Amino acid sequence: MKFLEELAIIISFISIFVVVYGTLIAAGAFIKTELARLRGKHNIQKLRVLRADLGTYLLLALELLIAADILKTIVEPGLHELAILGGVVVLRTVLSFFLNKEILEIDKERHEHPELFQPD
């Protein structure tokens, strides 16, 4: 069981890495978008794509946290662990629903108005 505990900790750290990495990518894209805005080439669609991309990284991190929590629940089953797992699953489900909806809207707009999504 010690192995499962260590594996859960490793997966949790990978989740943290995914959040930090996705945030850094999003911050870089945000700065690039804001510099374009200052040059008069602002495109609100790029911010929407940026939000969807960041949300994808966050969902991946939540998936990893769910995996880690499942392992923790196997090792130490209890109401507290199950409550944490349930909360993370509910949060991930809600985020996934709205993110998928937004991604579909962005894809539809991208096909209808490809000129709005051209790189600077």
Side-chain angles (χ1 to χ4, degrees):
M1 292 296 182
K2 181 80 170 150
F3 171 74
L4 291 179
E5 290 175 23
E6 291 171 358
L7 186 59
I9 290 170
I10 291 169
I11 293 171
S12 294
F13 277 115
I14 293 170
S15 173
I16 291 168
F17 172 78
V18 169
V19 169
V20 171
Y21 179 77
T23 302
L24 290 174
I25 296 293
F30 175 73
I31 290 169
K32 183 178 174 186
T33 300
E34 286 302 298
L35 291 173
R37 183 183 63 82
L38 293 173
R39 292 189 311 261
K41 298 180 181 180
H42 184 63
N43 186 339
I44 196 71
Q45 300 304 329
K46 290 182 182 178
L47 284 177
R48 292 185 65 214
V49 171
L50 169 64
R51 283 183 50 224
D53 289 347
L54 177 59
T56 301
Y57 283 107
L58 295 177
L59 281 175
L60 175 58
L62 283 172
E63 291 286 345
L64 291 167
L65 283 176
I66 289 171
D69 285 341
I70 288 171
L71 292 175
K72 290 176 188 173
T73 303
I74 290 170
V75 171
E76 195 177 312
L79 289 180
H80 181 70
E81 289 74 20
L82 286 174
I84 291 172
L85 179 60
V88 172
V89 168
V90 168
L91 178 63
R92 187 250 174 242
T93 302
V94 170
L95 284 174
S96 180
F97 174 79
F98 288 107
L99 179 63
N100 284 331
K101 184 177 176 181
E102 186 164 358
I103 288 171
L104 289 174
E105 289 174 11
I106 290 170
D107 282 343
K108 181 179 175 186
E109 290 174 8
R110 189 175 288 168
H111 290 299
E112 291 175 357
H113 306 286
E115 68 281 357
L116 295 176
F117 296 89
Q118 297 301 316
D120 292 330

